[in-house]
Amino acid sequence: MTLWEKFQTRNRDPREAFEALCNQLFERWCMREYRDKVQHIHVINGAGGDGGVEAYAMLVDGTYVGVQAKWFLNPIESDEIQKIRNSITTAKQVRPEIARYIVCIPRNLANKTGKSKKPERDRWNDFLKEIQKNYPGLELILWDESWLQTELQSPGAEGIVKFWFENQDMALEDLVHRFNLARDAWLNKRYLPSLHGTGKIHASVLQLLGHPTARDRVMEQLLEAGAVLAYAVFQIEKYLDRYAERLCVWDDKELTTFLDILTRLPERLEMVECYTQMLLHCSIHGTLPLPLDVAATFDDLVASALVMLKESRKLPGGPQSRSDLEEALQSLQTANILPTINRAYILLKSHNILIFGDPGTGKTHGLGYEVEKR
């Protein structure tokens, strides 16, 4: 599929849309090429005659740079060359000081073939020699499809691409090309591969991309979390089997509160354990569940139960029973189960990553390394 098969003309004639696109790219190119040497850039209203150009830039030295767009989809023959010749002649008559003349066409010129017919490239080269002879001070520049695509891939052209090619897919070679352009330009002084050391950004990117190393680590933590949850449920239910009746003292608020906590905890823990199993299933089969219900959180109940176990003298049970229960509840606090679940959910969900940091902390360096290695 060619670039122009996805060209959105915005209800304009394709020729007019192509001219508008070339004018936008020409303006960006002039500001990048000449910077503070540009006095002004002007787009011509074609309704009154374009003066041989669609747009021109006047430089501080009094010379001009012009652009002419030709919507030539078919091979360039003598008629097309004549149209370009006429435009150049008009441009020189209207603005004799024009020093560079850019011709935009939506195709790449064909090179030599086995046919006897003169190829486009030779025809263009002959025309180039003619212009150099007739106008010695004029540089004729061809912006073909390859050149235009390079301009569209340059930093800062994203808005132009979005407007004219809104449904365009980004191929891998386009991304590689953009990175190479950036590495050779603004990134050159900010990213030195030989000095890079991996750290938090590298670990975050591995997790973002679902790298086996990051995925295996999180899945292992999920399995450990499931085991901690199951053990805690076992110890709570074991304690209740033995001492629930001794906690059912209706006029003793301390005992009934502890019974209420231990009765509610297993349900929440089992909800969380079930969710860890769903995430583990998702890591294999790819069906991500909804985020964990906040009602399944258990930190508040665990904290309250531990305080009562340490401070209350009324709670039933021998030292071993209370110690086993306390150990199980403490393991819920130290296992960081909910953060582990959150990391696993983020890993399995399609998402982006934001990297914050003060200037000079290595954000650009880290991201440059990650892109280059991929």
Side-chain angles (χ1 to χ4, degrees), residues 140-181:
L140 179 59
I141 303 171
L142 178 65
W143 282 10
D144 56 10
E145 182 177 8
S146 296
W147 186 291
L148 292 172
Q149 192 154 15
T150 298
E151 286 296 318
L152 289 168
Q153 292 172 343
S154 63
E158 293 82 3
I160 297 176
V161 173
K162 184 176 182 180
F163 184 82
W164 294 110
F165 307 91
E166 61 179 1
N167 296 320
Q168 186 178 29
D169 296 326
M170 182 64 71
L172 177 60
E173 53 267 25
D174 295 329
L175 295 174
V176 172
H177 178 70
R178 287 193 178 195
F179 176 75
N180 289 336
L181 288 175

Side-chain angles (χ1 to χ4, degrees), residues 132-278:
Q132 290 172 345
K133 179 180 178 181
N134 295 338
Y135 306 104
L138 179 64
E139 180 184 2
L140 179 59
I141 303 171
L142 178 65
W143 282 10
D144 56 10
E145 182 177 8
S146 296
W147 186 291
L148 292 172
Q149 192 154 15
T150 298
E151 286 296 318
L152 289 168
Q153 292 172 343
S154 63
E158 293 82 3
I160 297 176
V161 173
K162 184 176 182 180
F163 184 82
W164 294 110
F165 307 91
E166 61 179 1
N167 296 320
Q168 186 178 29
D169 296 326
M170 182 64 71
L172 177 60
E173 53 267 25
D174 295 329
L175 295 174
V176 172
H177 178 70
R178 287 193 178 195
F179 176 75
N180 289 336
L181 288 175
R183 184 183 57 192
D184 295 337
W186 65 270
L187 192 58
N188 184 44
K189 296 181 179 180
R190 303 179 65 185
Y191 170 56
L192 301 174
S194 60
L195 299 180
H196 184 72
T198 58
K200 290 185 177 180
I201 291 178
H202 180 66
S204 299
V205 171
L206 290 183
Q207 182 169 320
L208 173 75
L209 299 179
H211 190 276
T213 302
R215 181 181 290 264
D216 292 347
R217 186 186 309 115
V218 173
M219 294 305 111
E220 182 179 345
Q221 291 172 345
L222 272 182
L223 288 171
E224 293 174 356
V228 171
L229 289 164
Y231 177 73
V233 171
F234 169 76
Q235 289 296 342
I236 292 171
E237 292 181 343
K238 178 182 176 182
Y239 183 88
L240 288 176
D241 286 342
R242 291 182 178 180
Y243 306 113
E245 291 185 1
R246 295 172 59 180
L247 293 172
C248 291
V249 181
W250 66 271
D251 58 348
D252 192 317
K253 185 177 181 181
E254 183 177 343
L255 295 180
T256 55
T257 298
F258 190 68
L259 176 62
D260 177 66
I261 291 173
L262 294 189
T263 303
R264 292 159 58 194
L265 253 178
E267 180 181 357
R268 294 198 186 183
L269 298 179
E270 287 172 351
M271 288 175 62
V272 176
E273 183 183 5
C274 179
Y275 193 80
T276 63
Q277 296 302 317
M278 292 169 67

Side-chain angles (χ1 to χ4, degrees), residues 50-53 68 70 79-93 101 127 130-131 135:
D50 61 9
V53 294
Q68 176 66 241
K70 297 294 186 184
D79 289 344
E80 285 72 29
I81 290 292
Q82 184 59 45
K83 291 178 181 178
I84 298 174
R85 182 184 291 114
N86 292 341
S87 294
I88 294 175
T89 300
T90 302
K92 287 295 290 184
Q93 290 173 349
Y101 190 90
F127 178 61
E130 173 194 327
I131 295 301
Y135 306 104

Side-chain angles (χ1 to χ4, degrees), residues 10-39:
R10 305 294 178 182
N11 297 319
R12 300 183 184 185
D13 179 82
R15 178 186 60 81
E16 295 179 355
F18 182 65
E19 290 174 359
L21 168 64
C22 292
N23 289 342
Q24 292 172 348
L25 295 178
F26 172 73
E27 182 175 355
R28 294 188 66 258
W29 176 82
C30 285
M31 298 308 297
R32 188 173 69 246
E33 181 79 2
Y34 296 103
R35 299 179 182 271
D36 56 354
K37 296 179 182 179
V38 176
Q39 185 166 319

